[in-house]
Amino acid sequence: MKQIIHIVGNRPQFIKLAVLYKAIEARKIARQQILHTGQHHSQEMSGIFFDDLALPAPHIQLQIENTDPDQFIAHTTRQLQHYLAAEQPGAVMIYGDTNTTYAAAMAAARTGQSLHHFEAGVRTGDLKAPEEINRLLADRLSSVHYCCTLHNLQTLKAEGYGTAITATPFFTGDLMLDAYLKIPEDASFKPETTSYVACTIHRAEHILVKKNLEAIIDALNDLHRQIPVIVPLHPHTQKKITEAGLTVSFRIIPPLGYPQMKAFIKQAAFIITDSGGVSREAYFAEKPSLVVMARPVWPEIIRSGAGLACAPHRDAILNTFIQLAQHTPNYKAALFGYGNAAQNICDHLSDSL
Ligand code: UDP
């Protein structure tokens, strides 16, 4: 039986992995190994997802001591190369656009593995963002491309994938939708208030650029005077808020596990986020969303009329929120497929391995 090695390291990757891992196991398509790079390594950002989503402990856990992103990429790539060269799996699965995705793509390409990229074809056009660089390189080095949306598929085709660049991309739908439909929410999770804004902020260009962080925190503080704003705060964002000495008057709660997060989103009146995953989940839950991103990762959501987007400026956030409160959202288009992405990927893997 062939072997698939899933290389993951970040919160949203554990969630996507959980649905695909179980689908591959149920259909006995291949032996599987989970290789965790350690990019997110705390209980609240990593362990809780393996526990709540009943994933086996990672078969291989890398220990990366340095948190500098370039050193992380260099060390991880080297360790992954050694491992993949020794294992020679039938396929390496990578997810999304993080430094883990990029290091895994480099290592798989350099050791000649069949590299399968889930969430292929996402582009914002902003080459200053590390995620965009990671996406472009991961796609270019991959042999197989699984796309969440038809827009992503068209993007790849327009870049020459399937013709000049020979791999043929596939539209599979979104593993995040599979997860949303399959994993029950924690019904016992009840924020103390009923009408609130569920908010997440963690994107590097927002928390590492002080003026952006200040503008976002200012806007959320102001908004909280009108409607409760609750933020399960990413540890990186917490660190940057503390370093910048910013005052927060909205409500901060610790990062949540997936079933609690799903309950948190489903009970919210509005969503404000700069997360690719949470903006999709707002769409799945049919919640009006404000995506704080000058160039949204999922422009489909904005174009279809389901959500609004704005740049990370205080007035833009407050004014767009007013528009959102008056907006009639449209959730009708099945932008992210039908919740059978894992089965579509399994169909492809069972034909190709
Ligand atoms: N998430 C979670 N708990 C939280 C915040 C987010 O379980 O406190 C989930 C969220 O529901 C989504 C995923 O993590 O499924 C998104 O991850 P994140 O926002 O860290 O990354 P991005 O999607 O922007 O890459």
Side-chain angles (χ1 to χ4, degrees):
M1 202 189 235
K2 283 278 174 75
Q3 180 176 215
I4 298 174
I5 298 187
H6 304 266
I7 302 182
V8 290
N10 307 76
R11 173 166 70 183
Q13 295 170 346
F14 309 140
I15 298 164
K16 294 162 205 166
L17 167 70
V19 260
L20 185 56
Y21 186 92
K22 285 175 195 163
I24 293 172
E25 193 174 59
R27 286 177 54 172
K28 300 188 172 39
I29 290 169
R31 287 184 294 120
Q32 302 188 80
Q33 279 199 5
I34 300 172
L35 196 155
H36 190 322
T37 65
Q39 194 179 342
H40 284 165
H41 49 266
S42 63
Q43 176 60 17
E44 64 182 5
M45 294 300 286
S46 172
I48 194 172
F49 294 92
F50 284 80
D51 296 345
D52 283 354
L53 308 181
L55 271 169
H59 302 87
I60 307 292
Q61 175 74 62
L62 301 187
Q63 303 295 340
I64 309 289
E65 269 147 38
N66 202 306
T67 51
D68 170 80
D70 298 318
Q71 290 198 25
F72 171 82
I73 290 172
H75 289 167
T76 307
T77 304
R78 182 179 306 149
Q79 293 192 53
L80 292 177
Q81 254 178 254
H82 286 309
Y83 190 71
L84 295 177
E87 284 295 307
Q88 293 293 331
V92 173
M93 265 308 298
I94 56 172
Y95 303 80
D97 56 16
T98 68
N99 292 339
T100 286
T101 317
Y102 170 51
M106 279 283 286
R110 280 176 171 267
T111 54
Q113 312 303 322
S114 171
L115 180 62
H116 299 228
H117 184 203
F118 174 75
E119 238 171 73
V122 176
R123 302 284 183 266
T124 63
D126 178 9
L127 269 176
K128 289 203 197 87
E131 293 93 341
E132 184 73 353
I133 300 169
N134 294 342
R135 288 177 198 121
L136 285 165
L137 292 170
D139 277 344
R140 190 62 188 85
L141 297 177
S142 292
S143 12
V144 180
H145 303 84
Y146 300 127
C147 298
C148 292
T149 69
L150 287 172
H151 174 64
N152 299 155
L153 181 73
Q154 281 150 7
T155 301
L156 285 182
K157 288 189 170 167
E159 289 179 7
Y161 286 83
T163 49
I165 302 169
T166 48
T168 304
F170 298 94
F171 168 61
T172 56
D174 189 358
L175 288 172
M176 284 300 229
L177 178 56
D178 293 30
Y180 183 82
L181 296 174
K182 286 199 173 78
I183 302 168
E185 74 242 42
D186 175 354
S188 70
F189 181 79
K190 298 259 179 258
E192 280 150 28
T193 169
T194 46
S195 179
Y196 62 90
V197 177
C199 174
T200 71
I201 296 292
H202 75 290
R203 201 155 281 278
E205 69 255 32
H206 294 159
I207 65 167
L208 301 183
V209 180
K210 197 172 167 206
K211 83 169 169 30
N212 290 343
L213 183 62
E214 273 172 2
I216 293 170
I217 300 299
D218 262 9
L220 297 178
N221 281 342
D222 271 16
L223 194 60
H224 186 68
R225 292 201 207 107
Q226 298 159 45
I227 176 170
V229 176
I230 308 178
V231 184
L233 201 60
H234 193 294
H236 292 165
T237 314
Q238 175 67 75
K239 184 163 175 266
K240 294 293 162 191
I241 289 175
T242 307
E243 280 171 14
L246 301 177
T247 305
V248 165
S249 51
F250 52 83
R251 196 169 134 212
I252 289 178
I253 57 174
L256 301 171
Y258 183 83
Q260 292 184 326
M261 186 66 188
K262 183 174 166 187
F264 178 60
I265 290 174
K266 283 186 74 171
Q267 293 172 64
F270 300 95
I271 312 290
I272 298 181
T273 189
D274 65 359
S275 156
V278 176
S279 55
R280 276 131 82 197
E281 286 158 355
Y283 180 83
F284 306 152
E286 304 199 348
K287 296 291 172 181
S289 62
L290 168 49
V291 179
V292 181
M293 266 190 250
R295 302 191 209 203
V297 183
W298 301 98
E300 299 88 328
I301 295 178
I302 314 302
R303 275 202 297 266
S304 72
L308 299 178
C310 74
H313 305 144
R314 177 185 172 279
D315 291 351
I317 295 170
L318 292 172
N319 291 335
T320 314
F321 187 81
I322 293 170
Q323 285 174 37
L324 187 71
Q326 294 157 357
H327 180 72
T328 311
N330 170 15
Y331 307 105
K332 293 218 165 45
L335 296 174
F336 297 92
Y338 302 94
N340 58 351
Q343 290 308 332
N344 290 334
I345 295 172
C346 283
D347 288 347
H348 173 260
L349 288 171
S350 61
D351 288 349
S352 62
L353 281 184

